[in-house]
């Protein structure tokens, strides 16, 4: 299940697959401003991030400041949980997880609730969230901003709110531009001049070592992993295809149940050919790409490469261009009618490749520096590991839902970049990947004999719970007596996509879990989806909640998760005399705040 960045911070983070790794390059500073900051000027960039989105944004903002001459430092918020510097501005990029601080910001948030005197601290806050999670949207960034001001710190900029379900990239770019201008206004060096040109050397020599993707792997902390097994988990011909992928973990790499595997995908060869045709470039052309300024959000390329390699491994080919990129396309188009049509676009469903195909005057009109500015570097995707280290410590299993649907543009089929890549790998292939720990609040202790657990999943959201159930089977075999557990699991039909059915039924027979499936294409007694099954088993579920049960939800964040929340609010209204909608909402919010209702949800991508 691919993770995306949002208010919970994934993958990352749910509801907006296009945010991980998005660039934040700002426009040029006003001509009236100095070109650089004064010598010795520094800036601290802190992040609160579980799945890396806010960390990436913080490093990109730091690159912007470094290009102005700032000495920059990037660190998690918890690294400054006992105090903030007064000798340099502090730029904070943070998200929330179920309304709480992310794992690397918990100590900082607790410290901030104290009575420290922060006069002399200068700060700015960029909040990343998803408005679909209205109850907790921007909760932690807003609280950080409010507490810093209340303790005497001074704002460098007003807080910015970047929405993963809106123009996330645009909001971050706007913040970066305002930060750049403010740094030059406050700390600019009026005497800054370009350095005098020295004698040019006859040759520039670079020594290259390692493989062609080593720089990319280093950028994301990835290592080679070998695929050892692949197969379909769904029946032949089932339209919502799901794949099983097992990878061997290298020596020294371990994982815990419910962790994620972060995988760098590759673009489909047919899409690479299509992109080359659209842009009018030769896939065999060799490019030597070198950045003109320090940046950590650019392409991780350390050697010449072909256009085929660039399009396959280094850039997103299926993203919809942000407004600034649409403007760049319009400006580059030599055909006035096409230029006007592009300039008039606001919310167009077409990808960059589709737009160029539909405006043929652009073919060959962009030189490589301009073309590279249009692309977002290819981002790793996050998938829940579906195995248990108690059973398979040397391997990690994945359940991959292959995203294939009519393109929103109406032009053929759209196939997910990450899921399409994993659907195509075969035993013996190599993946670049890393283990990404899941949020601690989402972990389930199989040896817990006191706390019941209710697990709710749809489709490949089953992945982390398969590992949990395997843990419980192992615990039972070792003589433990874990507390009761129910699994509400949604799929299409029992003979089509009841994933790992034999294994789960054997676990139920062993007493490790109670299975409560719901089949949307073969409903039983009016039960089509997991929320209906929860309602049908209301008495059993309520009894577990009354006994202190924790609820864990994994799956689709756009449709399933809201339906499940409403099912639990309905339970409260049913079993609590006099409870209305407001009371039910407050009750569920209380479960979330207490860590008893935890979501790990995502948007398909």
């Amino acid at each position: 299940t691919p993770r995306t960045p949002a208010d919970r911070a994934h993958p990352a983070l749910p509801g907006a697959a296009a945010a991980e790794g998005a660039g934040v390059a700002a426009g040029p500073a006003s001509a009236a401003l100095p070109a650089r900051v004064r010598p010795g000027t520094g800036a601290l960039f802190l992040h609160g991030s579980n799945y890396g989105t806010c960390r990436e944004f913080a490093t990109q903002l730091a690159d912007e400041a470094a290009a102005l001459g700032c000495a920059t430092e990037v660190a998690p918020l918890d690294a400054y949980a006992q105090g903030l510097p007064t000798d340099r501005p502090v730029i904070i990029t943070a998200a929330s997880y179920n309304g709480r601080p992310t794992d690397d910001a918990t100590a900082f948030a607790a410290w901030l609730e104290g009575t420290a005197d922060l006069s002399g601290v200068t700060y700015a806050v960029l909040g990343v969230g998803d408005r679909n999670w209205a109850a907790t949207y921007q909760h932690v960034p807003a609280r950080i901003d409010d507490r810093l001001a209340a303790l005497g710190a001074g704002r460098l900029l007003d807080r910015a709110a970047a929405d993963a379900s809106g123009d996330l990239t645009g909001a971050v770019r706007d913040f970066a531009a305002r930060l750049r201008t403010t740094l030059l206004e406050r700390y600019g060096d009026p005497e800054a001049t370009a350095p005098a040109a020295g004698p040019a050397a006859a040759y520039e020599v670079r020594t290259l070592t390692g493989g062609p993707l080593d720089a990319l792997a280093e950028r994301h902390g990835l290592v080679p992993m070998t695929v050892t097994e692949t197969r379909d988990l769904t029946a032949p011909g089932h339209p919502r295809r799901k794949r099983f992928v097992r990878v061997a973990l290298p020596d020294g790499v371990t994982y815990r149940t419910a962790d994620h595997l972060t995988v760098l995908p590759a673009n489909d060869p047919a899409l690479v050919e299509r992109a080359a045709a659209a842009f009018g470039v030769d896939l065999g052309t060799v490019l030597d790409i070198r950045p003109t300024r320090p940046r950590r959000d650019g392409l991780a390329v350390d050697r010449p490469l072909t256009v085929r390699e660039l399009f396959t491994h280094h850039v997103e080919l299926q993203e919809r261009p942000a407004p600034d990129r649409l403007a760049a396309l319009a400006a580059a188009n030599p055909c006035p009618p096409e230029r006007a049509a592009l300039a008039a676009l606001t919310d167009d469903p077409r990808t960059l490749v589709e737009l160029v195909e539909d405006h043929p005057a652009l073919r060959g009109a962009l030189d490589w520096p301009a073309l590279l500015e249009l692309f977002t570097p290819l981002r790793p995707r996050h998938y829940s590991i579906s195995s248990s280290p108690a059973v398979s410590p040397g391997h990690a299993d994945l359940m991959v839902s292959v995203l294939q649907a009519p393109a929103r543009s109406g032009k053929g089929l759209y196939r997910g970049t990450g899921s399409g890549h994993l659907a195509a790998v075969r035993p013996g292939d190599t993946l670049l990947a890393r283990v990404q720990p899941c949020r601690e609040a989402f972990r389930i202790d199989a040896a817990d004999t006191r706390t019941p657990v209710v697990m709710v999943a749809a489709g490949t959201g089953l992945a982390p719970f398969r590992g949990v159930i395997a843990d419980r089977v192992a615990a039972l075999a070792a003589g433990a007596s874990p507390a009761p557990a129910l699994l509400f699991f949604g799929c299409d039909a029992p003979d089509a996509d009841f994933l790992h059915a034999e294994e789960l039924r054997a676990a139920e027979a062993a007493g490790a879990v109670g299975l409560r499936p719901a089949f949307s294409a073969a409903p039983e007694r009016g039960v089509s989806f997991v929320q209906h099954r929860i309602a049908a088993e209301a008495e059993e579920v309520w009894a577990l909640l009354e006994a202190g049960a924790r609820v864990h939800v994994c799956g689709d964040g756009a449709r399933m998760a809201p339906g499940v929340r409403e099912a639990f609010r309905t339970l409260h209204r049913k079993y609590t005399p006099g409870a209305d909608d407001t009371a039910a909402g407050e009750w569920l919010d209380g479960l979330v705040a207490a860590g008893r209702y935890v979501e790990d949800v995502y948007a398909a991508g």
Side-chain angles (χ1 to χ4, degrees):
T1 50
R3 295 292 177 262
T4 55
D7 194 44
R8 66 175 189 86
H10 123 323
L13 320 61
E20 284 284 357
V24 297
S30 165
L33 293 174
R36 294 174 62 81
V37 297
R38 294 188 296 271
T41 300
L44 174 62
F45 294 82
L46 301 179
H47 56 78
S49 180
N50 277 339
Y51 294 98
T53 300
C54 289
R55 181 176 64 248
E56 287 294 318
F57 285 155
T59 58
Q60 292 162 25
L61 291 169
D63 286 344
E64 292 290 332
L68 301 179
C70 279
T72 61
E73 177 189 354
V74 180
L77 280 161
D78 278 355
Y80 283 81
Q82 299 303 317
L84 292 171
T86 58
D87 61 342
R88 49 187 165 151
V90 179
I91 315 302
I92 295 172
T93 306
S96 307
Y97 183 96
N98 287 329
R100 292 180 166 188
T102 52
D103 285 346
D104 60 357
T106 303
F108 179 86
W111 167 74
L112 207 56
E113 294 301 320
T115 59
D117 178 7
L118 299 185
S119 56
V121 172
T122 302
Y123 76 96
V125 175
L126 168 63
V128 178
D130 189 323
R131 66 175 181 269
N132 288 318
W133 277 257
T136 58
Y137 178 60
Q138 299 288 339
H139 177 79
V140 169
R143 183 61 178 170
I144 290 173
D145 182 44
D146 290 344
R147 286 300 300 159
L148 286 170
L151 294 172
R155 287 189 179 93
L156 183 70
L157 296 170
D158 289 337
R159 177 173 60 87
D163 178 15
S165 287
D167 185 8
L168 177 70
T169 301
V172 179
R173 286 178 181 274
D174 177 69
F175 181 81
R178 292 194 293 120
L179 177 62
R180 174 188 176 92
T181 299
T182 303
L183 289 174
L184 289 174
E185 287 174 343
R186 288 206 182 189
Y187 307 102
D189 180 5
E191 304 300 323
T193 57
Y203 299 97
E204 178 182 315
V205 178
R206 292 188 299 154
T207 301
L208 304 178
T209 59
L213 296 180
D214 281 5
L216 189 58
E218 183 180 3
R219 159 79 60 82
H220 299 294
L222 309 175
V223 296
M225 299 187 185
T226 302
V227 177
T228 60
E229 183 181 347
T230 62
R231 67 176 186 273
D232 275 354
L233 291 171
T234 46
H238 184 63
R240 287 149 60 97
R241 184 181 175 211
K242 298 172 178 67
R243 290 281 287 172
F244 174 87
V245 177
R246 173 170 288 173
V247 299
L249 299 177
D251 290 344
V253 175
T254 61
Y255 72 101
R256 296 170 63 191
T257 302
D259 281 347
H260 306 122
L261 195 70
T262 296
V263 179
L264 185 74
N267 286 308
D268 183 82
L271 179 60
V272 169
E273 297 274 356
R274 179 180 174 185
F279 288 106
V281 297
D282 183 347
L283 289 172
T285 299
V286 177
L287 305 175
D288 188 8
I289 301 169
R290 305 189 190 191
T292 57
R293 58 184 175 85
R295 55 186 298 179
R296 282 161 279 198
D297 66 322
L299 298 174
V301 176
D302 66 348
R303 67 196 61 222
L305 78 172
T306 65
V307 175
R308 185 182 299 278
E309 291 168 331
L310 173 71
F311 280 5
T312 300
H313 298 292
H314 293 276
V315 296
E316 298 283 352
L317 293 180
Q318 300 199 94
E319 282 196 340
R320 297 167 58 192
D324 63 322
R325 286 169 167 82
L326 284 175
L329 281 176
N333 197 306
C335 172
E338 288 190 9
R339 186 188 314 129
L342 283 166
L345 296 179
T346 54
D347 187 21
D348 196 277
R350 288 171 290 183
T351 66
L352 177 62
V353 172
E354 290 171 335
L355 281 168
V356 175
E357 287 176 334
D358 291 343
H359 299 83
L362 284 168
R363 189 175 189 272
L366 295 156
D367 62 15
W368 275 109
L371 188 54
L372 292 177
E373 285 290 335
L374 295 172
F375 289 118
T376 298
L378 190 65
R379 300 178 303 272
R381 271 61 169 174
H382 308 279
Y383 298 84
S384 290
I385 295 176
S386 70
S387 51
S388 159
V391 177
S392 182
H395 289 81
D397 295 348
L398 302 179
M399 297 182 192
V400 181
S401 182
V402 182
L403 175 58
Q404 183 167 298
R408 287 186 292 180
S409 64
K411 300 179 64 173
L413 287 177
Y414 174 90
R415 196 180 196 195
T417 300
S419 63
H421 175 59
L422 287 176
V425 298
R426 295 293 181 266
D429 289 348
T430 298
L431 295 177
L432 288 176
R434 72 169 187 267
V435 171
Q436 175 74 40
C438 79
R439 170 78 188 222
E440 285 299 317
F442 197 74
R443 298 197 189 278
I444 299 173
D445 183 3
D448 189 340
T449 61
R450 296 177 298 177
T451 308
V453 62
V454 177
M455 297 171 281
V456 186
T460 52
L462 172 66
F465 301 141
R466 176 182 179 242
V468 169
I469 292 168
D471 283 345
R472 293 174 65 87
V473 170
L476 284 167
S481 300
L486 295 180
L487 171 64
F488 290 86
F489 167 49
C491 52
D492 294 334
D495 58 350
D497 65 341
F498 195 142
L499 308 181
H500 296 286
E502 292 185 9
E503 177 184 312
L504 293 177
R505 287 172 177 144
E508 183 177 42
V513 67
L515 300 180
R516 303 292 184 267
F519 305 109
S520 60
E524 301 175 355
R525 299 186 302 278
V527 172
S528 299
F529 302 109
V530 286
Q531 54 265 44
H532 303 151
R533 190 67 194 257
I534 291 168
E537 314 290 343
E539 185 174 350
E540 181 181 30
V541 175
W542 187 254
L544 291 179
L545 289 170
E546 290 286 271
R550 295 179 58 184
V551 180
H552 292 249
V553 183
C554 186
D556 171 38
R559 292 166 297 180
M560 183 273 288
V564 172
R565 290 184 220 120
E566 180 55 31
F568 277 91
R569 286 190 289 264
T570 300
L571 278 182
H572 181 265
R573 290 192 294 267
K574 179 176 182 178
Y575 289 102
T576 306
D580 57 11
D581 290 350
T582 300
E586 291 174 349
W587 169 79
L588 185 59
D589 289 345
L591 289 185
V592 171
R596 290 183 55 199
Y597 190 99
V598 188
E599 294 178 330
D600 193 11
V601 296
Y602 57 87

